[in-house]
Amino acid sequence: MSGQQSEPARLYGWDASRQTQLRAFTGGAVPVAVYGLGKMGLPLAAVYADVSGNVTGVDIDSDVARAVDAGRCPVEGEPGLPEEVERLAGDGSLSATTDATGAAADAGVHVIIVPTLIEDDEPDLSALEAAVRSVGAGLDAGDVVVVESTVPPRTCRDRVRPWLEAESGLELGEFGLAFCPERTMSGRALQDIRGSHPKVVGGADAESERVAELIYGEITDAEVIPVADCTTAECVKVFEGLYRDVNIALANELATLAGEFGVDVTEAIDVANTQPFCDIHTPGPGVGGHCIPYYPYFVISEFEGATPLLQTARHVNEYMPTFTVERAAEALDERGRDLSESTVAVFGLTYRPGVDETRASPGVAVAEELAERAETVYAVDPICTSAPPEGVQRVSLDAIGARELDLAVVTTGHEEFGEIPWSAFEDLTVFDGRHMLDDEDTSHPVSRLGDGSDED
Ligand SMILES: NC(=O)C1=CN([C@@H]2O[C@H](COP(=O)(O)OP(=O)(O)OC[C@H]3O[C@@H](n4cnc5c(N)ncnc54)[C@H](O)[C@@H]3O)[C@@H](O)[C@H]2O)C=CC1
Ligand SMILES: CC(=O)N[C@@H]1[C@@H](OP(=O)(O)OP(=O)(O)OC[C@H]2O[C@@H](n3ccc(=O)[nH]c3=O)[C@H](O)[C@@H]2O)O[C@H](C(=O)O)[C@@H](O)[C@@H]1O
């Protein structure tokens, strides 16, 4: 729905009735700028544009900005998003630019969802700082700034607010600041943003919280949960990620003990999880993406307190690619083959199915280790657009059947791998790191991560 353009309004500190403010926001009178049009930012900009009818997306990548402005969707793998971007750009609800300061000068709501990464185990907030300072340079009294990027606790309080005040010459109280984390999975971003989970909002002051609640009451159909402040909201998001990394590490550590137990730990895990107080996660060849493996360092490296559990969990998960290669080499050895004289195919370079992302990806780490130890290494991945690691040859799923293989290692559970031409191979050893294969899928002997087949 494209908003009817009326006199631009500013929500922060506006004493009009709630209904008047809601009409202004949903009627396009409050221009919105969304900074970062990536896997999360573009779906978010689309939902904001659908609700407010007046969104300018900002990205430093001119190809991205140009595509979105023309109604084309540069983000793959998000059902419904290409159609939404085309519709919203077409009706004038969504435009895009690389001019952050220009967009900031016009906007009354600034939503920041740029990457927050790790460099040498330290948080890299350079993209956040660049975006926030651009917003500050265009900030006006009455504006509200919403940070959705995942950040270390205290970032809004100790970094974002001072950056905004320094660039704008304004003070909090003249503008608003809130942290409203993105709790969304790639591949289902639109439905998640529109309301799969409660939306957490934390304001730097009471008026910021009020405005954030008013906005997200329109963006999401789910409950909006206000918390004490920005830092509490930052903790909510980071804690979710810490919980996941620690619990994946538990599953992985159990998988490394399967040989001693002499059991398939995934069977034991599945049954242990039949009672409500147990939610042991799924063992795998490692933890990838630019979220879960990174968030622990938002606490480990940022705070003085001891974090032995977080660090141990990271070490367990970072060891899993090596464990996977060791187990695959053992499976090969049991068949009288030496890895150093073998040809291996790694099935899966992206960190999880359906998402074209290889940051911290287990498949990449496994392929890199195999490139050091095996004679020839191929990588097969139906969606990965990144170059394979050095020493690894990319082969398509259609072409791999023509290659002589001694070992196949499954590291990502792409659904396309249901089409792997197993019968094309002779005398093949298969190591399934993702418990993706059933016995009837292939006649070749299959070892699985944590299946206990390495029984001492
Ligand atoms: N990918 C995911 O599953 C989730 C990510 N998040 C968080 O969302 C944030 C964004 O992540 P993604 O969308 O996955 O990143 P992404 O890498 O897919 O996209 C980031 C986009 O921001 C642009 N960008 C970089 N610096 C910029 C700047 N200074 N100004 C404007 N644009 C800039 C890049 O060109 C790129 O188009 C991160 O903080 C991440 O932790 C939160 C929940 C889920
Ligand atoms: C707490 C939580 O579930 N966070 C989700 C997570 O999504 P993300 O795309 O990183 O995928 P993920 O399912 O957590 O997987 C991360 C990595 O961990 C691996 N993984 C995951 C679950 C598991 O039981 N075992 C396992 O080995 C995956 O293979 C992958 O390599 O991180 C997202 C984020 O914050 O960026 C977040 O929005 C998502 O809801």
Side-chain angles (χ1 to χ4, degrees):
M1 173 198 74
S2 74
Q4 300 305 315
Q5 294 291 334
S6 49
E7 189 57 31
R10 292 291 186 266
L11 294 172
Y12 184 85
W14 192 13
D15 60 2
S17 72
R18 180 178 174 80
Q19 281 315 314
T20 301
Q21 295 192 36
L22 283 173
R23 261 199 313 277
F25 178 59
T26 58
V30 185
V32 178
V34 177
Y35 305 79
L37 298 178
K39 295 189 292 296
M40 291 297 120
L42 185 52
L44 183 64
V47 175
Y48 260 96
D50 184 46
V51 170
S52 72
N54 187 358
V55 171
T56 302
V58 177
D59 204 290
I60 56 171
D61 184 330
S62 57
D63 292 339
V64 168
R66 195 176 308 114
V68 172
D69 201 50
R72 294 194 313 277
C73 179
V75 171
E76 300 286 331
E78 287 297 347
L81 186 59
E83 296 79 3
E84 279 295 88
V85 171
E86 182 180 22
R87 174 177 72 85
L88 293 160
D91 73 20
S93 298
L94 175 65
S95 64
T97 177
T98 55
D99 176 12
T101 304
D106 295 337
V109 174
H110 307 268
V111 185
I112 299 173
I113 184 158
V114 298
T116 45
L117 303 167
I118 290 293
E119 188 71 37
D120 300 328
D121 294 347
E122 296 282 337
D124 170 9
L125 302 181
S126 55
L128 178 72
E129 180 168 6
V132 170
R133 289 190 182 278
S134 297
V135 169
L139 199 65
D140 296 312
D143 286 6
V144 66
V145 179
V146 175
V147 177
E148 285 225 2
S149 294
T150 307
V151 293
R154 296 179 64 107
T155 295
C156 283
R157 170 186 161 144
D158 295 346
R159 294 182 170 104
V160 174
R161 176 180 170 180
W163 291 337
L164 289 172
E165 292 181 335
E167 294 296 334
S168 65
L170 300 172
E171 287 186 0
L172 179 74
E174 295 175 276
F175 67 87
L177 171 61
F179 183 76
C180 306
E182 190 53 75
R183 306 170 92 193
T184 302
M185 292 285 279
S186 281
R188 38 173 296 158
L190 284 177
Q191 69 185 74
D192 283 354
I193 292 165
R194 285 196 167 116
S196 300
H197 315 296
K199 184 72 179 179
V200 177
V201 298
D205 60 12
E207 178 62 359
S208 300
E209 179 194 302
R210 180 194 72 79
V211 173
E213 272 193 275
L214 179 137
I215 290 170
Y216 283 99
E218 297 304 303
I219 294 292
T220 179
D221 303 328
E223 179 191 5
V224 176
I225 302 178
V227 293
D229 51 24
C230 291
T231 307
T232 305
E234 291 165 342
C235 284
V236 167
K237 179 61 187 176
V238 169
F239 290 5
E240 290 170 11
L242 301 183
Y243 170 87
R244 198 153 175 79
D245 198 49
V246 166
N247 280 281
I248 297 168
L250 170 60
N252 284 336
E253 184 152 287
L254 294 175
T256 64
L257 296 169
E260 284 189 83
F261 294 147
V263 302
D264 178 347
V265 293
T266 53
E267 178 187 5
I269 287 171
D270 289 347
V271 176
N273 287 342
T274 55
Q275 56 99 354
F277 310 113
C278 198
D279 178 23
I280 302 172
H281 289 23
T282 307
V287 175
H290 57 53
C291 303
I292 302 304
Y294 288 7
Y295 293 168
Y297 293 107
F298 286 3
V299 176
I300 293 166
S301 308
E302 284 288 289
F303 296 90
E304 294 303 317
T307 53
L309 177 61
L310 299 181
Q311 294 180 61
T312 302
R314 280 286 75 231
H315 297 153
V316 168
N317 290 332
E318 286 163 2
Y319 168 66
M320 292 313 287
T322 299
F323 180 77
T324 298
V325 170
E326 290 297 335
R327 286 287 300 107
E330 286 165 12
L332 203 54
D333 182 57
E334 283 156 18
R335 311 273 314 284
R337 290 286 175 84
D338 188 298
L339 182 58
S340 63
E341 298 161 359
S342 297
T343 298
V344 187
V346 176
F347 287 91
L349 288 176
T350 61
Y351 80 100
R352 73 175 170 87
V355 183
D356 181 13
E357 175 70 71
T358 55
R359 285 189 185 106
S361 175
V364 169
V366 166
E368 285 170 341
E369 289 212 24
L370 286 169
E372 295 292 318
R373 296 183 56 182
E375 186 172 74
T376 305
V377 182
Y378 301 125
V380 180
D381 190 299
I383 67 161
C384 180
T385 53
S386 311
E390 193 174 332
V392 177
Q393 300 171 48
R394 223 26 219 281
V395 178
S396 71
L397 190 53
D398 295 340
I400 194 65
R403 303 297 173 102
E404 296 283 326
L405 291 185
D406 301 300
L407 172 66
V409 181
V410 178
T411 44
T412 310
H414 288 301
E415 64 179 64
E416 293 85 346
F417 288 163
E419 306 304 318
I420 293 175
W422 296 113
S423 58
F425 307 112
E426 289 178 11
D427 196 18
L428 178 70
T429 298
V430 180
F431 187 79
D432 180 2
R434 290 291 185 186
H435 275 261
M436 190 189 83
L437 298 175
D438 296 327
D439 290 341
E440 56 271 14
D441 286 333
T442 170
S443 59
H444 299 296
V446 178
S447 301
R448 295 177 180 82
L449 187 83
D451 68 0
S453 57
D454 50 334
E455 185 170 0
D456 292 347

